[in-house]
Amino acid sequence: MIPQRVKNVIAACKNIGTTHLTNGAYRLHPVEWNIGESAGMLAVFCCEQSRTPREVWNDLKLVRRLQMRLLRRGMPLAWGVDVPPDHPMWICTQMLLLHGVARSNTLEVQLARRIDVPDNLEIMSGVDLTGLSTWRELCMRVAPLVEQIDQIPM
């Protein structure tokens, strides 16, 4: 969405750069709408923060704040069809999916499913992960940290 050679331009919907292989996924209306809404939110975020889109992309704290803003508005950033935006574990599962916790070929999170908890994820630093075996348990343990992401001092 952020061009490499042009400043202050954000691609959205059909003008994003894709390969012929990935175009089939990006041309679907829900994905286009998600891209467009994310581009609009990024533009607003850049104005509020007095930053360019590239500066936001290069600052992990800003990226996380933008992601939290999108999630709080019900914008999916990862696919987990069985945990919708009105679910109490929506934001937590979305952030865990973004961090690569899900390693399956299904679009379902399946909160009761057993999970091998990786111990090297930045979102889980300082969290005691002993005794966890399901998505639900992981979300319960990590949720308080996730909810504070957009309050991290700059």
Side-chain angles (χ1 to χ4, degrees), residues 109-130:
V109 172
Q110 301 168 353
L111 291 169
R113 177 172 55 100
R114 296 192 65 73
I115 186 171
D116 291 325
V117 182
D119 57 0
N120 61 343
L121 297 175
E122 146 260 322
I123 196 170
M124 296 185 212
S125 62
V127 177
D128 178 16
L129 302 174
T130 56

Side-chain angles (χ1 to χ4, degrees), residues 13-135:
C13 300
K14 293 217 184 258
N15 69 354
I16 65 171
T18 66
T19 68
H20 68 287
L21 297 173
T22 59
N23 186 51
Y26 291 115
R27 69 181 182 81
L28 301 173
H29 289 303
V31 177
E32 280 184 336
W33 299 331
N34 189 301
I35 293 168
E37 195 167 346
S38 296
M41 186 66 67
L42 175 58
V44 168
F45 189 78
C46 287
C47 290
E48 290 173 355
Q49 301 293 321
S50 299
R51 305 289 179 98
T52 66
R54 175 72 50 206
E55 288 173 323
V56 172
W57 173 253
N58 290 330
D59 185 328
L60 186 59
K61 287 180 184 177
L62 290 174
V63 169
R64 294 288 179 251
R65 283 185 173 186
L66 176 61
Q67 288 173 335
M68 286 299 291
R69 186 176 288 192
L70 289 164
L71 290 172
R72 288 187 196 288
R73 286 171 173 75
M75 290 282 304
L77 303 180
W79 295 109
V81 296
D82 59 330
V83 184
D86 60 347
H87 193 285
M89 293 186 188
W90 156 257
I91 290 176
C92 187
T93 56
Q94 285 287 305
M95 289 303 279
L96 290 169
L97 288 166
L98 283 174
H99 281 81
V101 173
R103 305 233 191 272
S104 81
N105 52 1
T106 178
L107 295 178
E108 294 181 342
V109 172
Q110 301 168 353
L111 291 169
R113 177 172 55 100
R114 296 192 65 73
I115 186 171
D116 291 325
V117 182
D119 57 0
N120 61 343
L121 297 175
E122 146 260 322
I123 196 170
M124 296 185 212
S125 62
V127 177
D128 178 16
L129 302 174
T130 56
L132 299 179
S133 62
T134 66
W135 262 96

